[in-house]
Amino acid sequence: MRWQGQELGVPDAAALPGLEHLNGLVQSVTTPEFAEMTFHEVLCKSALNHVPGASAMPFDWTVNPYRGCSHACTYCLSPDALVLCADGRQRRIDELTIGAEIVGTEKVGDYRRYVRAAVQAKWTTRKRAYRVTLADGTEIVASGDHRFLTERGWKHVTGAMAGRDQRPYLTTSNRLMGFGVGAGATSSPAMDAGYRRGYLTGMIRGDAMIFHGEYSDDRRTRAIHRFRLALADTEALDRTRSMLAEEGIVTNTRPFAAATASRHPMTAIHTARRDRVEHIESLIIVPDMRPPSWHAGFLAGIFDAEGSCSRGILRISNKDPEILHLTSEALEVFDIPHVVEPPRTNGVRSVRVKGGLPSRQRMFDITGPAVTRKLSVIGTAVKTVSDLRVVSVEDLGYDMDMVDITTSTGDFVANGVISHNCFARGTHEYLELDAGRDFDSQIIVKINVADVLRRELARPSWAREPVMLGTNTDPYQRAEGRYRLMPGIVSALTDSGTPFSILTKGTLLRRDLPMLTEAAASVRVSLAMSIAVFDDSLQKLIEPGTPSAAARLETVRAATDAGFSVTVFLMPIIPHLTDSIAMIDDALRRIKEAGAARVVFGALHLRPGAKGWFLQWLEREHPELLSSYRGLYPGASTTAPKPYRAWLSKRVRPLLRVHGLDGHAEDDSARPRSVVPGLASRSVASQIRTTSRGRVAAAGDTGMLF
């Protein structure tokens, strides 16, 4: 056994990612008794969790003694991987902070589109390094477990066709989705003196006013010298002011034009000193020898001044033949495809960048314009124009420090390709999938939860509303066999007179049946068992590591014999795999034989993250069903369509009557949302309670408030 102690409040680089600074972390434990699991023991500050009022959950209070692994995956990238941010710029992944706005993707209608996302967590780990090289020159270093979106779905960097490591993985027949960054990608250009002179030339010659003249009145003639640059985009104005200051030129700032219904307010920088105006003129003389840095700065300046990016098409417009020539020349220097369009009626011509988002993003990366509103890709469809075929996946032969993030969309854009972030254990638990096969199991254990709960229940404000256990993570998961937190929780709830409900798929419930029976003499206690798959071979594929249906049914029988009226949650029912009449009939027969009183059934939900994982599993195990599932769960949809759910109800209800079972569908609108009857028969007769959500529970009925 290995014990890793941590002094409270002291950062620990070896702690569970995201918990390095968790003051309540006591120690992390691994033991041969629980292979491939790590228990992170924490001191929690609260135990009762109030469900937000806006939540659709039909209960108010929960207690979760364990938190499944929230960041235990091995998906990670090299620290220098460039992540596309919401402002259109690319930043190294190791420079991102929690809360940073980045770009993810979502399926919208027929297309996957780039959308705004947020970094929710970030951590580092050390993994074996693999370099993925694409045909356009893009390279990205990642762990073998990292996944990228291909034209055939999500695929890991490495894998196998059979055996323990069987999973979809990258081959040279795959093409990644995104735009790539080509060879020698960089997060921002070097803003040296050459870049600065080029930027000022593009900006000032593109949009500024320089004037020299004379003004005469009755007394004298005065020489007038003026420089003025007025812009609505303060980013470009601030950059120009700063660059002029670096050249020793001080400018003044003033409002230039007020906002109107169709125009943003404008601000100007200006100077009327002759020496400063002449100095500015000298800076914007086009040099005979123009280094690449000057060309990069010029493109950034002329784009900020005269560029547009409407409907994804990048144009730089001007009348001046020299400006148009310099723009075209600079694009040629960086091998960015473009065309000079014919003049409009007003004489203005445009240089249009060709090649779609890859060319556009490459220009932004090389030149670094200041105006971020012109750089955004939000809403743009994901269309792969670059040659992003996988050329090679190379084992670099060493481990290295890597970085990963969790995002609000479940993905992000790294080095111009769509990259999957980690799975949270919660999505696997929602599908009743054990996470051990897919990523390292990390369990957070609230070792003081019973003591904290007892203090909270003793408060005068506590109204003894029903509390639900098992809504987030299973209270009778394997860790409970080691930590025995549930007896203390049950005791605290019982002593305070608080009714409670337990939903589990763990057979460890049987250990506490004597205590639960005793508790039911004082408060209402409701028990439910979740059993999704009754076919042993299918259960091992979908729920590896969980108790078998037979073992769970034995637990139902034991609870029934103890006097409880147990409900079985027959969900999710998986289309084409567990929804046949024969399978449902067999499941209900066995449930009835186990003594259950009620069944709640429902079709498979595929939430973001879980959806991609399940479709990959389906492609590997049952590819013949993939097209049907894409029809049942199109685009961003998470629930089976209403016609399928109605069809399922018509199939299940007669079989419930045949087997003498009460029950209903999880989304049965004919039933009151507030009460799910039949989950407890051991209760005391008392009063009616109204919860903070306005739900009413009659303590004397056989129902359970969720």
Side-chain angles (χ1 to χ4, degrees):
M1 178 181 297
R2 179 179 65 83
W3 294 82
Q4 175 196 312
Q6 182 188 6
E7 184 180 348
L8 299 185
V10 178
D12 180 8
L16 179 67
L19 296 183
E20 299 92 337
H21 299 275
L22 181 63
N23 288 337
L25 181 60
V26 176
Q27 60 189 0
S28 297
V29 184
T30 59
T31 169
E33 181 185 358
F34 295 91
E36 298 182 355
M37 281 192 179
T38 301
F39 298 116
H40 301 275
E41 300 175 359
V42 303
L43 297 175
C44 63
K45 295 181 179 179
S46 63
L48 276 171
N49 304 304
H50 190 261
V51 179
S55 172
M57 293 295 101
F59 47 85
D60 291 306
W61 297 94
T62 66
V63 174
N64 296 292
Y66 304 96
R67 296 180 71 95
C69 62
S70 52
H71 308 301
C73 67
T74 54
Y75 312 126
C76 39
L77 297 172
S78 170
D80 61 359
L82 301 179
V83 174
L84 182 62
C85 296
D87 62 5
R89 306 187 192 283
Q90 297 199 97
R91 294 179 176 84
R92 287 171 52 116
I93 191 170
D94 61 349
E95 295 175 352
L96 295 178
T97 58
I98 295 174
E101 290 193 333
I102 62 170
V103 174
T105 71
E106 283 182 358
K107 195 76 177 295
V108 181
D110 294 333
Y111 290 99
R112 181 180 287 271
R113 295 186 180 274
Y114 296 105
V115 298
R116 192 177 298 272
V119 176
Q120 297 179 330
K122 174 187 173 184
W123 64 96
T124 59
T125 186
R126 190 168 184 85
K127 294 293 176 184
R128 183 80 165 194
Y130 294 83
R131 178 166 51 228
V132 179
T133 303
L134 308 182
D136 77 329
T138 297
E139 292 183 353
I140 187 165
V141 176
S143 73
D145 294 306
H146 201 85
R147 296 193 299 157
F148 296 102
L149 184 62
T150 75
E151 82 286 9
R152 299 178 184 175
W154 293 102
K155 294 203 172 185
H156 295 270
V157 172
T158 63
M161 294 295 293
R164 180 180 178 181
D165 296 327
Q166 181 182 13
R167 61 186 182 185
Y169 63 96
L170 295 180
T171 69
T172 52
S173 64
N174 291 136
R175 181 168 59 96
L176 300 193
M177 303 299 290
F179 49 84
V181 292
T186 180
S187 58
S188 60
M191 294 189 181
D192 56 11
Y195 180 95
R196 183 169 64 247
R197 298 287 181 95
Y199 185 88
L200 291 172
T201 302
M203 171 57 70
I204 294 171
R205 294 192 61 172
D207 213 11
M209 182 274 291
I210 295 179
F211 174 79
H212 297 281
E214 292 183 343
Y215 173 76
S216 300
D217 56 22
D218 295 337
R219 291 179 298 171
R220 60 175 179 165
T221 298
R222 290 182 294 175
I224 304 296
H225 308 277
R226 295 280 190 272
F227 162 77
R228 185 188 69 219
L229 175 65
L231 297 172
D233 294 297
T234 57
E235 296 159 308
L237 198 68
D238 291 343
R239 178 183 287 188
T240 304
R241 182 196 300 108
S242 175
M243 287 183 168
L244 287 173
E246 289 184 70
E247 297 288 346
I249 301 168
V250 177
T251 56
N252 301 310
T253 304
R254 63 176 174 85
F256 181 76
T260 67
S262 59
R263 189 178 63 186
H264 293 290
M266 299 182 71
T267 304
I269 58 173
H270 64 96
T271 182
R273 284 183 48 168
R274 177 177 180 175
D275 60 332
R276 293 176 181 175
V277 176
E278 290 177 345
H279 191 176
I280 291 171
E281 287 180 303
S282 70
L283 292 175
I284 63 175
I285 295 173
V286 178
D288 293 333
M289 299 296 294
R290 297 184 283 278
S293 62
W294 187 94
H295 282 115
F298 177 82
L299 280 176
I302 195 63
F303 177 76
D304 282 344
E306 300 284 3
S308 66
C309 205
S310 176
R311 292 182 295 180
I313 301 173
L314 192 158
R315 287 185 173 91
I316 297 172
S317 303
N318 206 281
K319 282 185 178 181
D320 187 339
E322 186 180 17
I323 293 292
L324 294 169
H325 169 74
L326 290 170
T327 302
S328 183
E329 177 185 271
L331 291 170
E332 288 174 1
V333 166
F334 299 114
D335 198 26
I336 298 172
H338 63 283
V339 63
V340 181
E341 298 180 332
R344 304 173 206 161
T345 55
N346 60 0
V348 173
R349 304 185 72 178
S350 295
V351 179
R352 174 169 54 85
V353 171
K354 301 191 300 181
L357 183 57
S359 296
R360 166 184 156 190
Q361 193 64 42
R362 184 162 178 267
M363 195 200 96
F364 293 158
D365 293 340
I366 291 171
T367 65
V371 182
T372 55
R373 69 174 177 84
K374 298 182 181 181
L375 312 184
S376 175
V377 301
I378 303 301
T380 305
V382 177
K383 294 182 179 180
T384 301
V385 179
S386 297
D387 189 354
L388 301 184
R389 289 173 297 131
V390 176
V391 173
S392 64
V393 178
E394 178 187 0
D395 184 347
L396 297 183
Y398 56 82
D399 292 353
M400 65 176 291
D401 292 332
M402 295 187 181
V403 182
D404 201 5
I405 56 177
T406 292
T407 74
S408 55
T409 57
D411 64 1
F412 56 99
V413 182
N415 280 17
V417 294
I418 300 172
S419 171
H420 204 287
N421 68 194
C422 83
F423 279 120
R425 185 180 177 92
T427 57
H428 289 274
E429 290 294 328
Y430 182 79
L431 281 176
E432 300 185 2
L433 299 171
D434 186 272
R437 189 184 66 169
D438 301 313
F439 53 80
D440 297 334
S441 256
Q442 307 284 335
I443 308 300
I444 300 173
V445 186
K446 302 176 185 179
I447 56 176
N448 65 331
V449 65
D451 293 336
V452 173
L453 177 62
R454 190 173 292 276
R455 289 198 300 269
E456 292 176 335
L457 296 174
R459 294 171 181 167
S461 59
W462 176 240
R464 295 178 177 79
E465 297 181 34
V467 171
M468 182 69 182
L469 296 104
T471 61
N472 185 18
T473 54
D474 197 325
Y476 283 106
Q477 59 181 275
R478 291 180 62 195
E480 175 61 16
R482 173 186 180 85
Y483 287 97
R484 298 181 62 87
L485 299 181
M486 283 298 289
I489 293 172
V490 169
S491 175
L493 291 167
T494 304
D495 292 346
S496 70
T498 300
F500 61 93
S501 310
I502 298 173
L503 172 62
T504 182
K505 59 187 175 187
T507 56
L508 195 58
L509 173 73
R510 297 176 68 174
R511 181 200 67 191
D512 291 345
L513 279 177
M515 185 178 198
L516 291 168
T517 302
E518 184 178 346
S522 303
V523 298
R524 186 174 48 177
V525 179
S526 307
L527 302 182
M529 178 66 68
S530 173
I531 313 176
V533 182
F534 286 75
D535 177 85
D536 289 342
S537 58
L538 183 61
Q539 190 261 344
K540 290 177 181 178
L541 289 173
I542 294 181
E543 300 180 334
T546 59
S548 66
R552 284 183 250 185
L553 288 170
E554 290 175 3
T555 304
V556 172
R557 166 54 64 190
T560 301
D561 291 345
F564 289 94
S565 177
V566 182
T567 289
V568 170
F569 279 70
L570 180 60
M571 52 195 297
I573 295 177
I574 307 172
H576 307 305
L577 292 176
T578 64
D579 63 353
S580 69
I581 291 177
M583 296 191 79
I584 295 172
D585 181 60
D586 177 66
L588 294 177
R589 176 186 59 79
R590 295 173 65 183
I591 290 171
K592 178 64 176 180
E593 290 174 352
R598 176 175 297 274
V599 172
V600 177
F601 63 91
L604 176 68
H605 292 247
L606 289 177
R607 292 184 177 179
K611 186 173 186 176
W613 184 93
F614 185 81
L615 292 180
Q616 282 194 26
W617 175 87
L618 198 70
E619 182 180 17
R620 184 177 71 247
E621 301 294 340
H622 292 280
E624 74 281 1
L625 299 180
L626 200 57
S627 61
S628 176
Y629 267 78
R630 286 173 175 159
L632 284 170
Y633 301 89
S637 62
T638 61
T639 59
K642 189 174 181 179
Y644 175 83
R645 301 199 306 270
W647 173 87
L648 184 63
S649 292
K650 290 180 180 179
R651 174 162 286 198
V652 176
R653 291 182 193 282
L655 293 173
L656 286 171
R657 291 193 293 269
V658 166
H659 292 286
L661 286 164
D662 191 10
H664 63 88
E666 62 164 335
D667 57 352
D668 193 342
S669 59
R671 299 191 59 83
R673 190 173 80 128
S674 58
V675 178
V676 182
L679 296 194
S681 62
R682 299 295 300 266
S683 60
V684 295
S686 60
Q687 72 277 14
I688 293 177
R689 292 193 183 93
T690 303
T691 73
S692 59
R693 291 168 184 263
R695 292 193 285 272
V696 178
D701 69 18
T702 58
M704 179 185 75
L705 254 152
F706 258 40

